[in-house]
Amino acid sequence: MTIDTVSSPGHGDHNEDLIAVFEQVGWTDIVIIDGASSVADQDYVDAQQGDVVWFVREFARALAHTASAGRRQEDSVRLALDQVRRLFDEKTHAVAVPMYAWPIAAMTWVRIWHERGHTALQAWCVGDCKTLLRLPGGAVLDLDPYVNAQEGVVRDEIAKLVGQGIIDPAARRERLLPMLRARREFQNSTVAPISLCLAPGGPFDAREVSMEIEPGAVLLMMTDGFYRLVDPYGLYTDEQLATACIRHGAAALVRELRDFELGGATGMSVKNADDASAVVCSLPTRSTSPGRT
């Protein structure tokens, strides 16, 4: 099994995406995280890298220790978040942090089991990362066909602003800030969280997938910034994107993405360029790793 990864910041040096791979005897965990850009006026725990970068890094570090074969993925996630929340509270002691400033993130976590003679996967997904599976015959399956309804709402609001002649991204963000903050407060307080958050009020509204995988299949995981090549830019279909990633590598696709965005034709988005990350995992033609005990 080979794993090709790429992660590119959309602006400056701060990259709020993260890819983590945990290897164990009998299974491999691949985690892709897309931190949601802050809607706060300041950072409260990491003034240099930003609270969102701090959040995704600390969560990945904690998950590396809480993930285990005998524990449900959601239980591992919650244990990791408990650790991150304790650190957050320690760093913000006696400081009132508004709920809209609490960091959140989208995440897809795929565990690939290497069984005796076959391979299987378990996926746990919150937020809007994209996961595709290219079968040996060329067909591409969308393993998590989730639609982020909020993105449609934001695009409609941006279209109204553009109609008013407001095209500068910073000016658009300022006008949208009250709506974005209200949404962030909801995401941090709902009893059925749809994103990674510091204090989940109940079970996550996560999508879960379990399936056997054909030998020779290729798994593609990406943040929505990378998936812009398909939606909204329309440069590729899912099938074309999978083929291009396999033939040319994920880094080449990021270069094409950035060239397109530099051209200015980026559509209705709050950010003209977003962090973009992808994983291309080529599964073995025949599994030889030991199975679970």
Side-chain angles (χ1 to χ4, degrees), residues 43-269:
D43 291 300
Y44 291 85
V45 298
D46 191 331
Q48 291 186 329
Q49 293 296 314
D51 290 356
V52 179
V53 172
W54 176 88
F55 176 63
V56 299
R57 290 179 179 176
E58 290 298 333
F59 173 79
R61 187 176 293 115
L63 186 65
H65 296 286
T66 63
S68 71
R71 183 179 290 137
R72 292 174 56 242
Q73 285 173 288
E74 173 149 347
D75 293 339
S76 296
V77 167
R78 294 184 72 92
L79 287 171
L81 287 171
D82 287 344
Q83 295 182 28
V84 177
R85 177 59 189 270
R86 286 194 293 271
L87 287 173
F88 185 85
D89 289 344
E90 290 173 6
K91 288 180 173 290
T92 59
H93 180 66
V95 176
V97 182
M99 189 172 287
Y100 63 73
W102 293 8
I104 66 169
M107 183 185 82
T108 292
W109 171 10
V110 173
R111 170 164 288 174
I112 302 173
W113 291 105
H114 312 293
E115 297 282 2
R116 298 180 180 86
H118 70 279
T119 305
L121 69 75
Q122 295 172 222
W124 190 91
C125 316
V126 289
D128 55 4
C129 296
K130 177 64 69 174
T131 305
L132 304 175
L133 183 68
R134 188 180 189 273
L135 302 178
V140 173
L141 305 179
D142 185 345
L143 299 187
D144 180 29
Y146 172 75
V147 177
N148 187 345
Q150 182 65 15
E151 284 297 314
V153 173
V154 171
R155 288 177 189 175
D156 289 344
E157 292 300 316
I158 291 175
K160 293 177 185 177
L161 295 177
V162 171
Q164 298 169 20
I166 303 172
I167 59 175
D168 177 67
R172 292 192 312 219
R173 182 183 182 278
E174 186 67 25
R175 293 285 293 270
L176 293 171
L177 202 53
M179 179 185 72
L180 297 174
R181 285 180 170 177
R183 175 64 177 174
R184 192 61 51 83
E185 289 181 350
F186 169 79
Q187 290 170 306
N188 273 304
S189 61
T190 178
V191 296
I194 59 175
S195 307
L196 290 181
C197 55
L198 283 170
F204 282 93
D205 186 12
R207 289 94 57 195
E208 298 185 69
V209 179
S210 297
M211 63 183 297
E212 301 288 322
I213 306 177
E214 296 180 46
V218 178
L219 177 72
L220 298 104
M221 301 164 60
M222 65 203 79
T223 59
D224 66 335
F226 187 91
Y227 194 66
R228 283 186 177 195
L229 286 161
V230 176
D231 181 18
Y233 299 160
L235 301 178
Y236 291 88
T237 65
D238 285 353
E239 291 77 10
Q240 291 168 342
L241 183 66
T243 299
C245 284
I246 294 167
R247 288 180 178 174
H248 307 298
L253 274 293
V254 167
R255 290 193 293 270
E256 182 177 348
L257 170 71
R258 297 307 185 211
D259 288 344
F260 181 80
E261 290 173 333
L262 285 172
T266 55
M268 299 296 180
S269 302

